[in-house]
Amino acid sequence: MSDTDSTLSKSGRAPGPWDPKPGAAPNAAPATPAPAQAPVEKEQSIVWAAASTLLMAGFLWWITGSVIVAGAILFGLFVHEAGHALVMNRVGMGPARIYIIPFLGGLAKGRREPKSEWDGVLVSLAGPAFGLLAMIPFVAAWAVMGHGEWLAGAFFIAMLNLVNLVPAPPLDGSKALGPVLTRVHPRLEHIVLLVIGAAVVWWGISTGRFILAVFLGLAVISHLRRGVWRPAWGTLSWAEAGRSLGFYLLTAALCAAAAVGAMLPVAEGAPVEAMRLGLAYLGVRL
């Protein structure tokens, strides 16, 4: 056999550049590249964090006319979001970060989604529950100095947390009560949150809270387009749904009691009058 014959392929032709090299496995798969890591979200710059906080502080001072009340609401926002962030870190969603959104409020954002609906409920309720602690220094300052603005600051902190429990997207109440409604029927959450959201938008327009109304209106439209929620995390068990509803009602009761308590000195110790004053702030006249 000649050397020329040894270079021919079994098909009787000379091998080309597309053929595998001698000794190579004919069916060897190409090396698979390592999967790319998920991009890490950039941290918020100190400059933007300071600017957004100052913008929010100026806006609050403009609408309240009081440095003390504006400072109380801003402090309450930080403590409220810190409650979310602490529980996010606890359930494995962290490290969580806190953002101040000028003219709207605050946001606590984790790096991961909650592992379960139950974790999501705990994160949602942690903000309003923990946020009530922000009232303590303002109540203490009022007790020492007797100035009504300190008490007003405490009242607004309580109302901030109470309003957040309204089950309208994207408020905390929708994220805490929504999974309970889904446990009954997936479409129930969609319908109830849509109806309550529309009612809250109307309340914002009728009481002159136009920025809040626009913000919630956009959230309601997004909710309408999204349809049925929660395909990813699964559903609460009936026991978890019962605990979620109980914690939601308890947190709402605590926030309402704190708001009424802040109004008691103004109402000369009369709980009914204090409640009436609180409802008047919400635009409800009795």
Side-chain angles (χ1 to χ4, degrees):
M1 185 178 292
S2 67
D3 293 336
T4 303
D5 293 335
S6 64
T7 60
L8 295 176
S9 66
K10 292 182 180 179
S11 62
R13 61 173 176 78
W18 53 82
D19 293 316
K21 294 181 179 180
N27 296 325
T32 303
Q37 294 182 350
V40 178
E41 189 175 348
K42 293 182 179 179
E43 298 288 343
Q44 185 183 32
S45 69
I46 297 178
V47 174
W48 172 243
S52 60
T53 303
L54 289 174
L55 279 173
M56 190 66 184
F59 174 69
L60 292 172
W61 174 75
W62 176 63
I63 63 175
T64 63
S66 168
V67 173
I68 293 175
V69 174
I73 298 173
L74 188 61
F75 179 65
L77 278 175
F78 274 110
V79 177
H80 176 103
E81 301 304 335
H84 289 311
L86 287 171
V87 178
M88 283 180 180
N89 293 336
R90 180 71 177 177
V91 300
M93 295 173 62
R97 289 168 292 176
I98 296 174
Y99 301 89
I100 295 297
I101 305 174
F103 317 118
L104 292 177
L107 172 70
K109 187 176 181 181
R111 292 185 182 271
R112 304 167 186 83
E113 295 291 342
K115 297 177 183 177
S116 66
E117 291 281 21
W118 174 244
D119 287 350
V121 170
L122 293 179
V123 169
S124 300
L125 293 178
F130 192 80
L132 292 178
L133 297 177
M135 297 177 63
I136 295 175
F138 293 90
V139 172
W142 167 78
V144 172
M145 291 180 279
H147 199 292
E149 281 187 295
W150 295 103
L151 201 60
F155 169 75
F156 278 104
I157 291 173
M159 293 304 298
L160 166 71
N161 292 286
L162 181 61
V163 170
N164 256 285
L165 286 171
V166 175
L171 301 178
D172 294 330
S174 67
K175 301 169 187 175
L177 198 58
V180 179
L181 300 173
T182 300
R183 172 70 270 186
V184 179
H185 192 281
R187 184 62 67 179
L188 185 61
E189 176 190 15
H190 182 79
I191 295 173
V192 170
L193 267 60
L194 178 62
V195 171
I196 295 178
V200 173
V201 171
W202 172 251
W203 166 79
I205 295 173
S206 62
T207 59
R209 296 169 171 87
F210 299 113
I211 294 178
L212 178 63
V214 171
F215 172 64
L216 292 177
L218 293 174
V220 169
I221 293 173
S222 176
H223 173 69
L224 180 63
R225 295 175 60 186
R226 185 173 179 179
V228 176
W229 286 12
R230 315 189 186 282
W233 304 338
T235 306
L236 292 173
S237 67
W238 283 111
E240 289 172 336
R243 289 197 297 270
S244 299
L245 180 60
F247 287 161
Y248 173 82
L249 294 175
L250 176 61
T251 305
L254 288 174
C255 292
V260 171
M263 285 287 99
L264 278 177
V266 180
E268 298 181 349
V272 175
E273 178 64 13
M275 188 180 301
R276 189 190 66 80
L277 292 173
L279 290 174
Y281 165 74
L282 295 174
V284 178
R285 304 292 179 180
L286 297 177

